[in-house]
Amino acid sequence: MRLLPLFLALCLAGPASAQTCGGNFGGFVDALRQEAIARGHAPDSVTRFFAPVRHDPAVIKADRRQGVFQMPFVDFARRLISANRMQKGRQLAQQYDATFERIEREYGISRGVLLAFWAFETDYGAVQGDFNTLNALVTLSHDCRRPELFRPQIFAALELFEKGDFSPAKTTGAWAGEIGMVQMLPRDILDNGVDGDGDGHVNLKTSAPDALMSGAKMLSELGWRPNEPWLQEVTLPQGMDWAQTGLRTVKPASDWAGMGVQARHGQIASDLPASLLLPQGRNGPAFLAYPNFRVYFEWNQSFVYVLTAAYFANRLEGAPVFNAGTPAQGLSDAQMKDLQRKLAARGYDVGEIDGILGAGTRAAVQDIQQELGLPSDAWPTRDLLNRL
């Protein structure tokens, strides 16, 4: 699910722009109607678009419940990558071979990348979500946690409605407003929707060619570098300088090879810059992340999701199962939150105290490990927590 910090500059005068979140829900919707008309939308279209909208408490409940991203990489990957998903992915790669060939030709994006997103987002289209999309977007915009993210999507959905590609009463999808087989937000559909099957419409819910082509165009617009790798599992030498690992450090892949890093499958792309990732520390799996890996974060901001999706793309194209190693035991949810509070008290920016080992927490862990003279592999352990 692609949740980017999209900001709306509310420059309109008067009550249409006064209420950006919260307050009486009916009044909030009235303000949205006024703003839509001020943006130039026909009053009749605006009335029909907003007529069925309702507040959905289930959306707020889903927004607050994202514990799956607290799982460590090995557990998360084993949970999401099943034999059935592997088999189904290979079958669909053959079934839609012409579409994937077109994607590879026009965008330089390998089929494993789109198949992995298709699998993780909706189980290849089987589970697209049953939340009313307009209700979800308006509810999340009314909620004051992230209104700047969701409010622009309401007006994008209105544009889709005017094109005949969105039903306020019937369009459904994920709790966060994404639609279709690869789960795209309304603005992304407007900007990157592709009629892959040639029927004159962009239908991401029922047309796999439309969904795959649109997903590919979006990745391309987000900066995907054609015909380049994204992630590669590697083995590490003894005596590695763990402080150089992580997304903050980028070196030519040839430099990593010169330090003794070796590919487990295929060849290291020596001419590309890369970061060395240790999702569960120095004793767990290890990967080289190339420039295209960072584009994944434009689709989803969860490190564990992104890494698993990128790895699954490799698996679908023949890479072996990763070497899980013997990583040190990680922290429980309560312990991770305790660690984040302690790091924040020391001045580190770990973001929200949510128990999730995200990029900010990883960077802080690596820095504090160096400060304490510990192997700085960015993997928090009970020993580290005890020392703090």
Side-chain angles (χ1 to χ4, degrees), residues 6-25:
L6 307 173
F7 296 101
L8 174 65
L10 297 174
C11 299
L12 302 172
S17 63
Q19 186 184 3
T20 57
C21 71
N24 175 269
F25 187 76

Side-chain angles (χ1 to χ4, degrees), residues 361-376:
T361 302
R362 285 181 181 273
V365 167
Q366 191 169 42
D367 289 344
I368 202 69
Q369 285 172 328
Q370 285 187 276
E371 182 181 325
L372 297 176
L374 299 172
S376 48

Side-chain angles (χ1 to χ4, degrees), residues 150-215:
F150 296 103
R151 190 180 178 100
Q153 302 300 330
I154 297 171
F155 301 105
L158 175 55
E159 291 185 53
L160 288 174
F161 167 68
E162 292 169 334
K163 292 174 179 287
D165 291 331
F166 185 94
S167 169
K170 296 181 180 179
T171 297
T172 57
W175 63 263
E178 303 98 341
I179 302 167
M181 296 188 187
V182 293
Q183 299 284 270
M184 292 171 63
L185 289 165
R187 173 49 58 187
D188 294 322
I189 297 173
L190 277 174
D191 293 343
N192 300 299
V194 177
D195 175 16
D197 58 16
D199 70 350
H201 287 276
V202 175
N203 190 334
L204 306 190
K205 291 179 70 68
T206 60
S207 172
D210 286 10
L212 295 168
M213 290 293 298
S214 299

Side-chain angles (χ1 to χ4, degrees), residues 73 231-234 275-277 279 285-289 307 311 322:
F73 166 73
L231 188 77
Q232 183 174 38
E233 189 184 4
V234 293
S275 297
L276 181 59
L277 305 184
F287 301 91
L288 278 184
L307 185 62
Y311 161 72
F322 62 74

Side-chain angles (χ1 to χ4, degrees), residues 55-257:
H55 185 271
D56 189 348
V59 169
I60 300 299
K61 186 176 180 180
D63 180 52
R64 305 299 194 262
R65 185 186 64 242
Q66 299 187 63
V68 66
F69 295 122
Q70 294 171 315
M71 297 176 67
F73 166 73
V74 171
D75 295 341
F76 189 81
R78 287 172 174 170
R79 176 171 171 174
L80 265 66
I81 301 173
S82 64
N84 180 64
R85 278 183 169 167
M86 286 289 301
Q87 181 180 2
K88 183 71 171 177
R90 289 169 178 149
Q91 175 210 322
L92 290 169
Q94 294 182 340
Q95 182 178 346
Y96 293 101
D97 181 65
T99 298
F100 285 117
E101 283 193 352
R102 181 181 169 190
I103 288 170
E104 289 160 0
R105 183 173 61 252
E106 294 185 16
Y107 299 109
I109 300 174
S110 188
R111 62 188 62 196
V113 174
L114 274 304
L115 282 165
F117 280 127
W118 195 7
F120 286 0
E121 296 292 345
T122 63
D123 213 4
Y124 300 114
V127 185
Q128 298 186 30
D130 57 4
F131 289 87
N132 177 279
T133 300
L134 182 58
N135 287 348
L137 292 173
V138 176
T139 298
L140 289 166
S141 299
H142 176 259
D143 182 48
C144 287
R145 193 165 84 88
R146 293 180 294 172
E148 76 285 346
L149 170 61
F150 296 103
R151 190 180 178 100
Q153 302 300 330
I154 297 171
F155 301 105
L158 175 55
E159 291 185 53
L160 288 174
F161 167 68
E162 292 169 334
K163 292 174 179 287
D165 291 331
F166 185 94
S167 169
K170 296 181 180 179
T171 297
T172 57
W175 63 263
E178 303 98 341
I179 302 167
M181 296 188 187
V182 293
Q183 299 284 270
M184 292 171 63
L185 289 165
R187 173 49 58 187
D188 294 322
I189 297 173
L190 277 174
D191 293 343
N192 300 299
V194 177
D195 175 16
D197 58 16
D199 70 350
H201 287 276
V202 175
N203 190 334
L204 306 190
K205 291 179 70 68
T206 60
S207 172
D210 286 10
L212 295 168
M213 290 293 298
S214 299
K217 183 174 185 293
M218 186 171 77
L219 285 172
S220 179
E221 292 297 319
L222 291 172
W224 191 273
R225 294 164 54 151
N227 305 310
E228 289 188 7
W230 50 93
L231 188 77
Q232 183 174 38
E233 189 184 4
V234 293
T235 59
L236 305 179
Q238 295 293 324
M240 190 78 193
D241 181 2
W242 308 117
Q244 298 190 57
T245 63
L247 286 170
R248 293 185 296 177
T249 300
V250 180
K251 296 176 178 290
S254 56
D255 285 5
W256 293 115

Side-chain angles (χ1 to χ4, degrees), residues 284-350:
F287 301 91
L288 278 184
Y290 297 105
N292 277 336
F293 179 76
R294 295 178 184 269
V295 178
Y296 276 81
F297 286 103
E298 302 293 335
W299 190 294
N300 187 294
Q301 295 179 7
S302 164
F303 177 85
V304 69
Y305 177 97
V306 161
L307 185 62
T308 304
Y311 161 72
F312 186 38
N314 287 345
R315 289 278 288 125
L316 287 165
E317 299 193 358
V321 176
F322 62 74
N323 179 8
T326 56
Q329 184 175 355
L331 302 179
S332 68
D333 174 58
Q335 290 170 331
M336 185 66 75
K337 289 176 180 175
D338 189 23
L339 175 70
Q340 289 176 320
R341 281 189 287 267
K342 291 179 183 295
L343 290 170
R346 288 174 173 253
Y348 290 103
D349 181 9
V350 298

